[in-house]
Amino acid sequence: MARKQTPAERLASAEKDFLLEEIADQSSWGQFLVEQAVFHFGQRHDDFSCNDLRDVLPELGHGFLGAAINSLRSGGVIEHTGRTVPSTQANTHGHRIGVWRLTNKGRQIAARRAARAEQRKAAA
């Protein structure tokens, strides 16, 4: 049985093709998509919170947002900035939520992905 990849490994292996059966077997496929979205958002913004992400994710993704944030944090891809902001979600009554940013590791993964994309573009 193959070991589970970390979020950083999944993000770094952009060239890997998933077969449809493998996707269907993964109970965390929705979380994987949200992780990709969070990573993508983090590349384009200095810092972000779940408030920012809820504005750009479809409703389906909202349920995976906390798990995706925790997964990327534990994988060393994002880190807490030490700041919090009030939640804009109505049912939370404005409780404080974390503000996040990419780590050096996250930026290195993004740079490798960009370099591979350039290589594929040049080869085409």
Short mmCIF file of all heavy atoms in Angstrom, two decimals, residues 34 50 61-71:
data_model
loop_
_atom_site.label_atom_id
_atom_site.label_comp_id
_atom_site.label_asym_id
_atom_site.label_seq_id
_atom_site.Cartn_x
_atom_site.Cartn_y
_atom_site.Cartn_z
N VAL A 34 -9.70 22.08 -3.06
CA VAL A 34 -9.67 23.30 -2.25
C VAL A 34 -8.24 23.63 -1.85
O VAL A 34 -7.84 24.80 -1.85
CB VAL A 34 -10.61 23.19 -1.03
CG1 VAL A 34 -10.49 24.41 -0.13
CG2 VAL A 34 -12.05 23.02 -1.49
N CYS A 50 -9.75 32.91 5.51
CA CYS A 50 -10.87 32.14 4.97
C CYS A 50 -11.95 33.08 4.41
O CYS A 50 -12.67 32.70 3.48
CB CYS A 50 -11.46 31.22 6.03
SG CYS A 50 -10.36 29.84 6.41
N GLY A 61 -17.02 24.12 -1.89
CA GLY A 61 -15.69 24.16 -1.33
C GLY A 61 -15.61 24.66 0.10
O GLY A 61 -14.64 24.40 0.80
N HIS A 62 -16.64 25.37 0.56
CA HIS A 62 -16.59 25.95 1.90
C HIS A 62 -16.42 24.90 2.98
O HIS A 62 -15.74 25.12 3.97
CB HIS A 62 -17.84 26.78 2.17
CG HIS A 62 -17.96 27.97 1.28
ND1 HIS A 62 -18.96 28.90 1.43
CD2 HIS A 62 -17.23 28.41 0.22
CE1 HIS A 62 -18.83 29.85 0.51
NE2 HIS A 62 -17.79 29.56 -0.23
N GLY A 63 -17.03 23.73 2.80
CA GLY A 63 -16.93 22.69 3.82
C GLY A 63 -15.55 22.10 3.95
O GLY A 63 -15.21 21.51 4.97
N PHE A 64 -14.72 22.24 2.92
CA PHE A 64 -13.37 21.68 2.94
C PHE A 64 -12.31 22.72 3.31
O PHE A 64 -11.15 22.38 3.46
CB PHE A 64 -13.00 21.11 1.57
CG PHE A 64 -13.81 19.93 1.17
CD1 PHE A 64 -14.81 20.05 0.22
CD2 PHE A 64 -13.59 18.69 1.75
CE1 PHE A 64 -15.56 18.96 -0.15
CE2 PHE A 64 -14.34 17.59 1.39
CZ PHE A 64 -15.32 17.72 0.43
N LEU A 65 -12.70 23.95 3.46
CA LEU A 65 -11.73 25.03 3.63
C LEU A 65 -10.88 24.86 4.89
O LEU A 65 -9.66 24.95 4.84
CB LEU A 65 -12.44 26.38 3.62
CG LEU A 65 -11.57 27.61 3.51
CD1 LEU A 65 -10.57 27.51 2.37
CD2 LEU A 65 -12.44 28.83 3.32
N GLY A 66 -11.51 24.59 6.01
CA GLY A 66 -10.74 24.42 7.26
C GLY A 66 -9.77 23.26 7.18
O GLY A 66 -8.61 23.36 7.59
N ALA A 67 -10.22 22.14 6.61
CA ALA A 67 -9.35 20.96 6.48
C ALA A 67 -8.19 21.26 5.53
O ALA A 67 -7.05 20.84 5.77
CB ALA A 67 -10.16 19.77 5.99
N ALA A 68 -8.47 21.98 4.45
CA ALA A 68 -7.42 22.32 3.49
C ALA A 68 -6.38 23.25 4.13
O ALA A 68 -5.17 23.04 3.96
CB ALA A 68 -8.02 22.97 2.25
N ILE A 69 -6.84 24.24 4.86
CA ILE A 69 -5.92 25.15 5.56
C ILE A 69 -5.04 24.36 6.53
O ILE A 69 -3.81 24.52 6.56
CB ILE A 69 -6.69 26.27 6.31
CG1 ILE A 69 -7.38 27.22 5.32
CG2 ILE A 69 -5.80 27.02 7.29
CD1 ILE A 69 -6.47 28.19 4.63
N ASN A 70 -5.66 23.51 7.34
CA ASN A 70 -4.89 22.72 8.31
C ASN A 70 -3.89 21.79 7.63
O ASN A 70 -2.76 21.62 8.08
CB ASN A 70 -5.82 21.92 9.21
CG ASN A 70 -6.48 22.78 10.25
OD1 ASN A 70 -5.94 23.81 10.66
ND2 ASN A 70 -7.66 22.40 10.67
N SER A 71 -4.30 21.20 6.52
CA SER A 71 -3.43 20.30 5.79
C SER A 71 -2.22 21.04 5.22
O SER A 71 -1.08 20.58 5.35
CB SER A 71 -4.23 19.63 4.67
OG SER A 71 -3.43 18.78 3.92
#
